[in-house]
Amino acid sequence: REGVRAVNEALSQITTCKGLETVLKVILGVGNHINGGTSKGGAWGVKLSSLAKLKSVKSNDRKQNLLHFIVNLVRERYESSLKFLDDLKGVESAAQNDTAFLESEARRFANRVQQVGNIVKKGPCMEDDQFVPVMKAFHDMSASETKRLLEEAKSMTRVNEKLCKMYGEKPQRPEEFLEKFAIFVCDFRQAYLHVIERSKPGH
C-alpha cells in the first residue's frame, strides 16, 4: 500500500505545485522566444520530453547551458517558485515504483480477503472451532483496508490519465510519467547549485 500511496502523493504534488507551473511557463516563454519565426514558435505548452534536453543547449563559450539561463531567470524574477524543488520531493522516489506490480498485488490481496470471507460465512465446522472467529476478526479488519487500497489504486490510474492528457502526453504508466519530472527536478537542482557556486566571489 505504501507504494500506491507514494505514487498518489507524487501525482498530487505535480497537480498542485504552483512553483512548477511558473517554471514551466518560463521555459515555454524562453522556448517560444528562441524559436520565434519558426514552425516551433508559438507553442501552447511544454513537451515533457524537451525538459531533459535543456542542459544540452550550450552557450557560445560552452560554459553555460539553457537550463542555467532559465535558473537565473527564475531566480531573478520568480524566486519564490524555486520552492517547487522541495514541493516535488516525493516524485523521484515514487517514480521508482512498478505500478503494474502494485496493482497486481492489490488485487491479489483483495482476492485473499474475499476467500477468507467465504470461509467465515460457512461458519465453524465444530462447536469449539476457534479458526473461524479468528479469521472473522482478520477479515473484518482487512476488508476495509482492502477497499481503501483498491480505491487508492483506481485513483492512481485516474489521476495519471488526467495528467497525461493535461500535459499532452500519450497514455503511459504513472512511473513513466513521474520519471520525466524526476529527471527534470534533478537536472534543475544541479543547475541551480552550479549557478549559486558560480555567483560566489572568485568565480
Side-chain angles (χ1 to χ4, degrees):
R1 184 178 179 186
E2 292 305 316
V4 174
R5 184 172 291 172
V7 173
N8 274 329
E9 178 63 24
L11 292 172
S12 176
Q13 289 171 3
I14 290 173
T15 302
T16 59
C17 185
K18 297 298 183 183
L20 173 65
E21 183 180 340
T22 299
V23 171
L24 291 178
K25 285 180 179 178
V26 171
I27 294 172
L28 177 62
V30 170
N32 282 336
H33 178 76
I34 293 174
N35 295 315
T38 72
S39 59
K40 294 182 179 180
W44 290 91
V46 176
K47 283 189 173 293
L48 299 186
S49 59
S50 68
L51 296 178
K53 300 175 183 177
L54 295 174
K55 62 182 181 181
S56 300
V57 182
K58 305 288 186 178
S59 61
N60 290 334
D61 60 8
R62 312 294 292 179
K63 293 182 179 180
Q64 287 197 93
N65 58 48
L66 185 55
L67 189 54
H68 291 132
F69 174 79
I70 290 169
V71 167
N72 272 319
L73 197 58
V74 173
R75 283 184 67 213
E76 293 171 2
R77 302 184 184 180
Y78 313 98
E79 189 174 12
S80 62
S81 296
L82 291 171
K83 187 175 176 291
F84 90 95
L85 293 171
D86 293 324
D87 293 340
L88 300 185
K89 60 185 178 182
V91 171
E92 294 177 68
S93 58
Q96 298 174 20
N97 282 283
D98 182 343
T99 56
F101 173 76
L102 294 177
E103 291 169 340
S104 174
E105 285 294 288
R107 289 191 296 268
R108 190 160 67 92
F109 183 68
N111 288 335
R112 286 183 177 178
V113 172
Q114 186 176 16
Q115 289 172 2
V116 172
N118 292 337
I119 294 173
V120 170
K121 286 179 182 178
K122 292 179 181 179
C125 297
M126 300 169 56
E127 187 174 338
D128 60 347
D129 186 358
Q130 293 300 309
F131 177 75
V132 170
V134 171
M135 285 296 98
K136 184 179 186 306
F138 168 79
H139 176 267
D140 292 345
M141 177 184 69
S142 300
S144 58
E145 180 74 11
T146 301
K147 183 180 179 181
R148 284 194 296 270
L149 177 59
L150 292 175
E151 287 175 350
E152 288 177 4
K154 288 180 181 178
S155 174
M156 177 178 70
T157 300
R158 185 171 60 252
V159 173
N160 178 64
E161 289 175 350
K162 181 180 178 181
L163 282 172
C164 284
K165 289 180 180 178
M166 183 187 302
Y167 282 93
E169 292 288 301
K170 65 180 182 180
Q172 57 198 274
R173 301 296 305 177
E175 62 268 34
E176 294 174 312
F177 178 79
L178 290 173
E179 185 180 27
K180 294 179 176 67
F181 284 96
I183 292 172
F184 174 63
V185 168
C186 182
D187 287 347
F188 196 100
R189 184 182 292 114
Q190 289 180 351
Y192 174 76
L193 293 175
H194 184 259
V195 166
I196 294 299
E197 185 64 27
R198 285 180 60 87
S199 66
K200 293 179 180 179
H203 285 271

